[in-house]
Every structure is written in C-alpha cells, then in structure tokens.
Amino acid sequence: MQNIYFTPGPSALYFTVEHHIKHAIKHGITSISHRSKEFEKIFKKAESNLSELLNLPDNFQLVFTSSASEIWEKITDGLIKNKSLHFVNGAFSQKFASVVKNLGKQADIIASAWGDLPDYSLEKSGPYDVLAITHNETSTGVKTPLSAIKSVRQGYPEAIVAIDAVSSLPIINFDYSQIDTVYASVQKGFGLPAGLGVWLLNDKAIEKATLMREKQQLRNSYHNILTLVEQAKRYQTPSTPNILGIYLLSQVAQDMITRGIQHIRNDSVYKAAILYNMLEKHDILKPFVGDKKLRSETIIVIDSGDRTEDLINFVAKRKMIIGEGYGPLKDKQVRIANFPTHSKEQFEMLVDLIEKFE
Amino acid sequence: MQNIYFTPGPSALYFTVEHHIKHAIKHGITSISHRSKEFEKIFKKAESNLSELLNLPDNFQLVFTSSASEIWEKITDGLIKNKSLHFVNGAFSQKFASVVKNLGKQADIIASAWGDLPDYSLEKSGPYDVLAITHNETSTGVKTPLSAIKSVRQGYPEAIVAIDAVSSLPIINFDYSQIDTVYASVQKGFGLPAGLGVWLLNDKAIEKATLMREKQQLRNSYHNILTLVEQAKRYQTPSTPNILGIYLLSQVAQDMITRGIQHIRNDSVYKAAILYNMLEKHDILKPFVGDKKLRSETIIVIDSGDRTEDLINFVAKRKMIIGEGYGPLKDKQVRIANFPTHSKEQFEMLVDLIEKFE
C-alpha cells in the first residue's frame, strides 16, 4: 500500500494524473515544440477546460507562470503603480506584502492574528492600485468569506481586486464579477506535480497594466504581465513553459468536468464537515480556527500542541501523511488538505483514525 | 513505432526518463513537501550528480529556476550594476541583450551575421559587469570556440563571464576556471520535460551579487540571485519548485555518469561528423555554418531553402521529427538536435534517410 498524502501542497496527485503522464510520454507531448500548432491546441484546451470548470466569464484571460509566488512579483511590477492594500492573517498574505515593499512600492496592511480574519470593514486612505486578499490562508486554514471580498471591493472601486486562491481552486465557486485577478498553484487542489502557476486576469486588470506600460510604469521584463497576456492570446508563452504541466492541467480539468464540479464541491463540504465535527469532540485535539464561518474546507488546521509529532507518526503508521504546522506553529499544529483527489472513503478512514488518537 | 524527436528543444526524452517518472509517482516524490528532508536529499543528490557529471570545481553553486530565459532577468537584476557586453550572432544572444536594455541597464553589443562568430578580439571601452557569451546559438547552430571565452575573459578581468549553455550541457567540457556563471535548460541536452532552468554560479559571481546587495544595487525580488543561492545552500528553494524535474535531473545525471560522460561525448562527435560529412556531399542540402570550427555538435543547421517543408515531411514519414529554422530562417532551414539521448543507430538512420532526399 502506498502512502496517501493529505499534505497541504504538494499533495496527492489527482488520481488520473499517472494515466495522463503515460499518455503524454507515449505520444511525445514532452517533446513537441512550444511554438508548434500541437502546443497551441494543448494551451487552448487547457483554457477552455479551466474556463468551463470554473464557470469563468468571457473577459478572463489565462496565463501560465512557474509558481504562484512568481505572480506576486508580476502583480507588483505590472499592476501596482504606487500602493497596494493587503489583508494579512498568515504567512502567505504577509509574504505578498513583503514582496511589494521589497520591490520598492508601498504596501499598506490590515492585519489580524493568525487563525483570525482581518477587519475587512476598516477604511484606509487609498487610493490603492491593488487590493490583495488571500482567500484561503494555507498557513492557518482560515478562509475569507466571499461577502468580505464584495464589501471591500465596494470601498475601493478603482482598485484591482487580486485573490490568492492557491489552495482554493477549483473548490471555491468565486463570484468572478467581484474579482479582477486570481491565481493558484497546480500542486494543491488540482493535484498536479509542482512547477506551474495558473493566473487569471480580467479586462480591467489587463487595461490597467496596458495603461501602466503606456506611461512607462510597468517593469518591462521578459516575462511581464503583458508579454504573458499577449502571448497567451495566441496560445503561446514567452519562453519554453512546463508543457507537461499545462497538458496535465487540461486533462485533469476535463476529468473534473466529467465527474461534475458540483459533485466534487459537495464531497469537499462533506469531508471537511466530518473532520471538523470529530475534532470538536476530540479529547486532545481541536480545530485551530475557532469561528466556524472562517474554517477552510480545503486546509484544515488542528491544534495538536506537544502531541504534534505523535499525531503525525500515528497516522503515518497507517500510510497516511499529514502536514506539519506552518512557520512558528510548525511543532504545535498539523495541517490536512482536503482536495478533489481525496475520496470520501479516504477521508473517513483518516477521520476514524484521528478519532482514536489519544 | 513512435516518433523520434530530433527537434532542438524540447527534444526527445532521455531514454531512462519514463522509468524514473514511474518510480517518482510510485514513491510519492511528486507529493513530498519541498520543505522536507526528502526534498533536501533529492536536491543534494542532483547537485552532487551534476557536479560529478560536469566535473565542476568546488566553488560552483547550483540553483534552479523555471527556465533559462528567467536567468537572463536574474543576471540583469543581480549581477549587472551598469553595463554588460554581449556577443550576438543569433536570436538568443540578441534576446539576452534586449532583456538587459528593457530592464534599464546598458548592453553593448558586438555582433556578427547569423551563422558566423562575433569578433571576440574587438576591444570595447568597459568597464563591464557581465560578459554574455552564448556558447551554442540554438537559432543558428554556431558554437563558440572555448579559446574565445578564455581570450575575452583576459580582456576584462573584473567582469563576470556568463555562458549561455542552453544547448551545450552536458556535452561540452567547459574549462570552468574561465567561467563565472553558466546556465542551461533541461529540455535539451539533458532530455527532460521542459520547465526547469539549471544555473551554476561561482564564488566570484555570488560575491559580486552580495556586494551589489550591500550597496542596494541588487533588485530585491522574491526569487533573486541571492535568495536562490542562500536557499540552495540548504538544498531549498524560495518557493515550491518543479520537484519532479529536479528529481529527474538527478537521476538522468546519474545515468549519464554510469554510461560514462566521455563515451557520450565521443558519440556526440561521431554523430555530428556523419551528419556534416553527408551534408558536405549532398546535392541539394548544405550545412548553414560554413566554418567547420564553428559548427555546433549539438544543433546542426541545414540550409534547405525552398525544399524545407519537403525535407521535414520526407523524414517525418519515417517517424523522425526534425525542427524548422528559427525566426526569419524558419522556412529556409532545418535544425537537428544531437543530444545524449539520440543513439548512434538513430543518427545513422537519419543520416541515411536525409542522404536519399532529392
């Protein structure tokens, strides 16, 4: 029996990936030129499948990077003229703000304690180029209610709303009319090998970048937001991309469409519920996030205190691998991913096992 | 029978890659955390294998990016304070110079016609932070004699000598005492799926970047030259990397060590020789690069004029895929890769076939 990875990323491969990799090798997909018609077909199919899976409006453009953290840099260089506003409640939301500052722009921060939600009603004196919202803080397992995104957008109608959906897609059904750009990594919810960032931008975001370029405010790097967009409109990339990753994304998105995204999302709610319910009654363990409305479905963080290592080893004996806490909470918490590849049966096994931990 | 890819990149997978991918999936290597000890072992093994394969001196550090063209940006931001000097004889050497200019630094150029070698004896008024030499111009099939690298280095002893070895490694046995930094992509000579850049830096290059950071001349991006180096010294990366790619590189480097790098290099010379010799006598086709000393072993470019499409289709009927010319020469030339994965037998078949083209 092989290990089952419930780690928060990289996580378990989507269960069809091995098959698709074999197919890709057999049919030379790893050897085709990224300037060929065959590659353009793969890119186009990835775009149409992702668009269908996420029910994207027509005004969104898909581009590829090598990671989500690369996108932090591209947003800073291409969408932030002066200043961004960051809602910070964990390591990843903080890192984006640091990237902006390190690149010489201003980053205002509205922060909360880890495990909590920043005050989305707080008013700051803008104007802001970008509002940076981490939908799902992978370090803490806090999710941002979609209503908060809507309300903060109303406060700064000019700003580009940028959503870090690294561990949210494709589970969360975003209202894309409230979002201008959203990005994710493929090694989490999509269940692919790491090494590909997925970035969606609407026309408002592209227009903003275009205006910045006209005014020479956009950093004219080889892989900037607009070179990526302009190449992507022709189903191309500025340099040789992770072709295998793009192919696998296309195939897995198709598989998820076939399975039914609503079905996958319903399963996700069920799997999260049985884990949180068990934790509520557990003698030793408890959910880190107190407020039920803020509990992430996809990254479930458990306060395990000085029993953390014991817990990880306890489930590892049954070939189930769960993640450590993040950063300062590394030794005090575990993090469990609930992604589309994790079946209800696997989750039930895991929940039953953790229930017995004493 | 499957296609055999002689395209200049992405090219055919190294013949052991499929096996290694299966092993990686079976053993959960795509699912391990990039912050785990297991990942550090993989990185360390990749470094020691590559170091042995290339016979690297101890003062070189390996870091990973997502592509070689990303490295152009990182060199510009982290090693070029004011000005670089570029030897330009094709599309890729030109692109690097453009990247430098677009990022606001000065880039002097010594250029030649495509198919020729820039004048390496020409003296320009520096000082230069970086000398950019494209060892093997993938767009034209011109290789730079190693003696030229040595002589130009003597002219500018302060400068960092940066070698684009995208389609040179691991075939070319560089004298690393004459080089400060060298970079490649894995989808060419290493025969891996695209999506990983390999970057080697010596202590002189790292010291230069460190000095630039102290003087606040280094662009403080999330993935800059020094964050990459500092993480790599602990066998880590700033963000989730292409873990599968790093694993495959490690394994393929090991396979090449086992096979014997000198053996692989001897085969490479043989394969190039039989193709060039046949072309010398061909009625219709001829080698693009006239000067034999400048003819690349790894990228062999053929003047095929208005018969280009015919030639590509002629060999494709036998399941052999060769590349188009690059850029303006797309319809007038073909490019053939001669990489370690291409066996002598495959090359003999290809040469016999092209010989019959009329």
Side-chain angles (χ1 to χ4, degrees), chain B residues 273-297:
Chain B
I274 61 170
L275 180 51
Y276 280 120
N277 287 344
M278 178 275 291
L279 290 172
E280 290 281 356
K281 301 174 205 147
H282 203 282
D283 288 338
I284 301 172
L285 308 172
K286 67 181 181 68
F288 173 50
V289 180
D291 185 342
K292 288 183 183 180
K293 288 193 304 297
L294 305 183
R295 286 181 185 165
S296 167
E297 275 168 38

mmCIF file of all heavy atoms in Angstrom, chain B residues 273-297:
data_model
loop_
_atom_site.group_PDB
_atom_site.id
_atom_site.type_symbol
_atom_site.label_atom_id
_atom_site.label_comp_id
_atom_site.label_asym_id
_atom_site.label_seq_id
_atom_site.Cartn_x
_atom_site.Cartn_y
_atom_site.Cartn_z
ATOM 1 N N ALA B 273 29.651 14.297 -36.861
ATOM 2 C CA ALA B 273 30.551 14.138 -38.013
ATOM 3 C C ALA B 273 29.855 13.442 -39.180
ATOM 4 O O ALA B 273 29.972 13.886 -40.332
ATOM 5 C CB ALA B 273 31.801 13.351 -37.592
ATOM 6 N N ILE B 274 29.105 12.377 -38.898
ATOM 7 C CA ILE B 274 28.471 11.662 -40.030
ATOM 8 C C ILE B 274 27.400 12.530 -40.686
ATOM 9 O O ILE B 274 27.212 12.485 -41.901
ATOM 10 C CB ILE B 274 27.912 10.271 -39.640
ATOM 11 C CG1 ILE B 274 26.832 10.359 -38.562
ATOM 12 C CG2 ILE B 274 29.050 9.324 -39.216
ATOM 13 C CD1 ILE B 274 26.083 9.042 -38.324
ATOM 14 N N LEU B 275 26.736 13.366 -39.891
ATOM 15 C CA LEU B 275 25.709 14.235 -40.486
ATOM 16 C C LEU B 275 26.369 15.344 -41.317
ATOM 17 O O LEU B 275 26.003 15.562 -42.485
ATOM 18 C CB LEU B 275 24.806 14.815 -39.386
ATOM 19 C CG LEU B 275 23.678 15.742 -39.842
ATOM 20 C CD1 LEU B 275 22.824 15.131 -40.946
ATOM 21 C CD2 LEU B 275 22.775 16.117 -38.657
ATOM 22 N N TYR B 276 27.374 16.017 -40.755
ATOM 23 C CA TYR B 276 28.039 17.091 -41.510
ATOM 24 C C TYR B 276 28.730 16.531 -42.762
ATOM 25 O O TYR B 276 28.688 17.148 -43.828
ATOM 26 C CB TYR B 276 29.052 17.829 -40.626
ATOM 27 C CG TYR B 276 28.443 18.859 -39.683
ATOM 28 C CD1 TYR B 276 28.598 18.758 -38.300
ATOM 29 C CD2 TYR B 276 27.738 19.953 -40.182
ATOM 30 C CE1 TYR B 276 28.062 19.711 -37.430
ATOM 31 C CE2 TYR B 276 27.193 20.916 -39.325
ATOM 32 C CZ TYR B 276 27.362 20.792 -37.950
ATOM 33 O OH TYR B 276 26.831 21.729 -37.113
ATOM 34 N N ASN B 277 29.369 15.367 -42.621
ATOM 35 C CA ASN B 277 30.061 14.777 -43.786
ATOM 36 C C ASN B 277 29.089 14.480 -44.916
ATOM 37 O O ASN B 277 29.376 14.755 -46.083
ATOM 38 C CB ASN B 277 30.789 13.485 -43.388
ATOM 39 C CG ASN B 277 32.021 13.780 -42.559
ATOM 40 O OD1 ASN B 277 32.497 14.925 -42.534
ATOM 41 N ND2 ASN B 277 32.524 12.767 -41.867
ATOM 42 N N MET B 278 27.940 13.923 -44.565
ATOM 43 C CA MET B 278 26.932 13.634 -45.580
ATOM 44 C C MET B 278 26.466 14.936 -46.230
ATOM 45 O O MET B 278 26.328 15.029 -47.457
ATOM 46 C CB MET B 278 25.774 12.868 -44.937
ATOM 47 C CG MET B 278 24.620 12.543 -45.858
ATOM 48 S SD MET B 278 23.428 13.884 -45.996
ATOM 49 C CE MET B 278 22.711 13.864 -44.354
ATOM 50 N N LEU B 279 26.245 15.967 -45.401
ATOM 51 C CA LEU B 279 25.735 17.240 -45.936
ATOM 52 C C LEU B 279 26.729 17.894 -46.902
ATOM 53 O O LEU B 279 26.333 18.507 -47.900
ATOM 54 C CB LEU B 279 25.426 18.212 -44.786
ATOM 55 C CG LEU B 279 24.222 17.863 -43.918
ATOM 56 C CD1 LEU B 279 24.157 18.796 -42.712
ATOM 57 C CD2 LEU B 279 22.916 17.937 -44.720
ATOM 58 N N GLU B 280 28.015 17.731 -46.603
ATOM 59 C CA GLU B 280 29.055 18.305 -47.476
ATOM 60 C C GLU B 280 28.922 17.794 -48.906
ATOM 61 O O GLU B 280 29.255 18.484 -49.858
ATOM 62 C CB GLU B 280 30.455 17.920 -46.946
ATOM 63 C CG GLU B 280 30.873 18.589 -45.654
ATOM 64 C CD GLU B 280 31.367 20.014 -45.876
ATOM 65 O OE1 GLU B 280 31.441 20.443 -47.039
ATOM 66 O OE2 GLU B 280 31.644 20.702 -44.873
ATOM 67 N N LYS B 281 28.443 16.554 -49.012
ATOM 68 C CA LYS B 281 28.383 15.917 -50.340
ATOM 69 C C LYS B 281 26.979 15.918 -50.928
ATOM 70 O O LYS B 281 26.761 15.375 -52.004
ATOM 71 C CB LYS B 281 28.856 14.454 -50.219
ATOM 72 C CG LYS B 281 30.265 14.303 -49.690
ATOM 73 C CD LYS B 281 30.584 12.819 -49.475
ATOM 74 C CE LYS B 281 31.658 12.612 -48.427
ATOM 75 N NZ LYS B 281 31.479 11.373 -47.655
ATOM 76 N N HIS B 282 26.036 16.493 -50.187
ATOM 77 C CA HIS B 282 24.640 16.394 -50.630
ATOM 78 C C HIS B 282 24.385 17.302 -51.838
ATOM 79 O O HIS B 282 24.958 18.379 -51.952
ATOM 80 C CB HIS B 282 23.712 16.777 -49.469
ATOM 81 C CG HIS B 282 22.332 16.209 -49.601
ATOM 82 N ND1 HIS B 282 21.379 16.737 -50.433
ATOM 83 C CD2 HIS B 282 21.745 15.134 -49.009
ATOM 84 C CE1 HIS B 282 20.262 16.031 -50.338
ATOM 85 N NE2 HIS B 282 20.460 15.039 -49.480
ATOM 86 N N ASP B 283 23.516 16.855 -52.739
ATOM 87 C CA ASP B 283 23.224 17.624 -53.950
ATOM 88 C C ASP B 283 22.398 18.878 -53.671
ATOM 89 O O ASP B 283 22.554 19.896 -54.352
ATOM 90 C CB ASP B 283 22.443 16.744 -54.946
ATOM 91 C CG ASP B 283 23.330 15.673 -55.559
ATOM 92 O OD1 ASP B 283 24.562 15.868 -55.547
ATOM 93 O OD2 ASP B 283 22.794 14.651 -56.023
ATOM 94 N N ILE B 284 21.500 18.781 -52.719
ATOM 95 C CA ILE B 284 20.532 19.865 -52.510
ATOM 96 C C ILE B 284 20.816 20.633 -51.221
ATOM 97 O O ILE B 284 20.676 21.849 -51.161
ATOM 98 C CB ILE B 284 19.097 19.280 -52.430
ATOM 99 C CG1 ILE B 284 18.769 18.525 -53.713
ATOM 100 C CG2 ILE B 284 18.083 20.387 -52.172
ATOM 101 C CD1 ILE B 284 17.475 17.756 -53.641
ATOM 102 N N LEU B 285 21.194 19.903 -50.203
ATOM 103 C CA LEU B 285 21.328 20.485 -48.866
ATOM 104 C C LEU B 285 22.775 20.847 -48.566
ATOM 105 O O LEU B 285 23.689 20.245 -49.122
ATOM 106 C CB LEU B 285 20.839 19.466 -47.824
ATOM 107 C CG LEU B 285 19.451 18.876 -48.084
ATOM 108 C CD1 LEU B 285 19.168 17.744 -47.094
ATOM 109 C CD2 LEU B 285 18.372 19.952 -48.003
ATOM 110 N N LYS B 286 22.959 21.837 -47.697
ATOM 111 C CA LYS B 286 24.324 22.080 -47.204
ATOM 112 C C LYS B 286 24.288 22.612 -45.772
ATOM 113 O O LYS B 286 23.276 23.157 -45.326
ATOM 114 C CB LYS B 286 25.099 23.005 -48.126
ATOM 115 C CG LYS B 286 24.617 24.425 -48.220
ATOM 116 C CD LYS B 286 25.508 25.189 -49.221
ATOM 117 C CE LYS B 286 25.085 26.653 -49.332
ATOM 118 N NZ LYS B 286 25.320 27.467 -48.162
ATOM 119 N N PRO B 287 25.400 22.443 -45.062
ATOM 120 C CA PRO B 287 25.428 22.963 -43.697
ATOM 121 C C PRO B 287 25.344 24.488 -43.742
ATOM 122 O O PRO B 287 25.961 25.119 -44.603
ATOM 123 C CB PRO B 287 26.808 22.539 -43.166
ATOM 124 C CG PRO B 287 27.373 21.586 -44.153
ATOM 125 C CD PRO B 287 26.692 21.841 -45.452
ATOM 126 N N PHE B 288 24.573 25.079 -42.822
ATOM 127 C CA PHE B 288 24.452 26.535 -42.793
ATOM 128 C C PHE B 288 25.767 27.184 -42.377
ATOM 129 O O PHE B 288 26.177 28.197 -42.936
ATOM 130 C CB PHE B 288 23.325 26.923 -41.821
ATOM 131 C CG PHE B 288 23.201 28.402 -41.577
ATOM 132 C CD1 PHE B 288 23.152 29.314 -42.636
ATOM 133 C CD2 PHE B 288 23.112 28.910 -40.282
ATOM 134 C CE1 PHE B 288 23.020 30.686 -42.404
ATOM 135 C CE2 PHE B 288 22.983 30.273 -40.044
ATOM 136 C CZ PHE B 288 22.944 31.159 -41.108
ATOM 137 N N VAL B 289 26.418 26.596 -41.385
ATOM 138 C CA VAL B 289 27.647 27.193 -40.859
ATOM 139 C C VAL B 289 28.818 26.752 -41.729
ATOM 140 O O VAL B 289 29.145 25.561 -41.804
ATOM 141 C CB VAL B 289 27.866 26.776 -39.381
ATOM 142 C CG1 VAL B 289 29.145 27.410 -38.833
ATOM 143 C CG2 VAL B 289 26.660 27.189 -38.538
ATOM 144 N N GLY B 290 29.438 27.734 -42.404
ATOM 145 C CA GLY B 290 30.500 27.413 -43.345
ATOM 146 C C GLY B 290 31.795 26.989 -42.660
ATOM 147 O O GLY B 290 32.428 26.008 -43.058
ATOM 148 N N ASP B 291 32.174 27.713 -41.646
ATOM 149 C CA ASP B 291 33.451 27.457 -40.961
ATOM 150 C C ASP B 291 33.328 26.219 -40.076
ATOM 151 O O ASP B 291 32.574 26.212 -39.098
ATOM 152 C CB ASP B 291 33.796 28.697 -40.126
ATOM 153 C CG ASP B 291 35.162 28.583 -39.471
ATOM 154 O OD1 ASP B 291 35.700 27.457 -39.353
ATOM 155 O OD2 ASP B 291 35.682 29.631 -39.061
ATOM 156 N N LYS B 292 34.103 25.192 -40.413
ATOM 157 C CA LYS B 292 33.967 23.926 -39.692
ATOM 158 C C LYS B 292 34.218 24.061 -38.193
ATOM 159 O O LYS B 292 33.633 23.360 -37.388
ATOM 160 C CB LYS B 292 34.917 22.873 -40.284
ATOM 161 C CG LYS B 292 34.455 22.379 -41.653
ATOM 162 C CD LYS B 292 35.365 21.290 -42.203
ATOM 163 C CE LYS B 292 34.890 20.907 -43.614
ATOM 164 N NZ LYS B 292 35.721 19.848 -44.202
ATOM 165 N N LYS B 293 35.129 24.972 -37.832
ATOM 166 C CA LYS B 293 35.451 25.148 -36.404
ATOM 167 C C LYS B 293 34.258 25.689 -35.614
ATOM 168 O O LYS B 293 34.216 25.571 -34.392
ATOM 169 C CB LYS B 293 36.604 26.137 -36.234
ATOM 170 C CG LYS B 293 37.964 25.611 -36.651
ATOM 171 C CD LYS B 293 39.081 26.519 -36.175
ATOM 172 C CE LYS B 293 38.930 27.976 -36.645
ATOM 173 N NZ LYS B 293 38.982 28.148 -38.129
ATOM 174 N N LEU B 294 33.331 26.317 -36.320
ATOM 175 C CA LEU B 294 32.188 26.947 -35.640
ATOM 176 C C LEU B 294 30.939 26.079 -35.664
ATOM 177 O O LEU B 294 29.890 26.467 -35.165
ATOM 178 C CB LEU B 294 31.865 28.301 -36.291
ATOM 179 C CG LEU B 294 33.011 29.307 -36.368
ATOM 180 C CD1 LEU B 294 32.504 30.616 -36.971
ATOM 181 C CD2 LEU B 294 33.611 29.563 -34.984
ATOM 182 N N ARG B 295 31.049 24.913 -36.284
ATOM 183 C CA ARG B 295 29.850 24.067 -36.403
ATOM 184 C C ARG B 295 29.530 23.384 -35.077
ATOM 185 O O ARG B 295 30.328 22.609 -34.564
ATOM 186 C CB ARG B 295 30.055 23.010 -37.484
ATOM 187 C CG ARG B 295 29.984 23.580 -38.873
ATOM 188 C CD ARG B 295 30.172 22.481 -39.918
ATOM 189 N NE ARG B 295 30.205 23.085 -41.247
ATOM 190 C CZ ARG B 295 30.628 22.448 -42.337
ATOM 191 N NH1 ARG B 295 31.052 21.185 -42.238
ATOM 192 N NH2 ARG B 295 30.616 23.058 -43.504
ATOM 193 N N SER B 296 28.334 23.655 -34.588
ATOM 194 C CA SER B 296 27.884 23.042 -33.340
ATOM 195 C C SER B 296 27.731 21.540 -33.507
ATOM 196 O O SER B 296 27.252 21.061 -34.527
ATOM 197 C CB SER B 296 26.539 23.646 -32.942
ATOM 198 O OG SER B 296 25.948 22.876 -31.926
ATOM 199 N N GLU B 297 28.126 20.826 -32.477
ATOM 200 C CA GLU B 297 27.863 19.387 -32.447
ATOM 201 C C GLU B 297 26.410 19.089 -32.115
ATOM 202 O O GLU B 297 25.867 18.083 -32.538
ATOM 203 C CB GLU B 297 28.660 18.738 -31.310
ATOM 204 C CG GLU B 297 30.061 18.374 -31.647
ATOM 205 C CD GLU B 297 30.803 18.031 -30.373
ATOM 206 O OE1 GLU B 297 30.217 17.405 -29.473
ATOM 207 O OE2 GLU B 297 31.981 18.429 -30.279
#
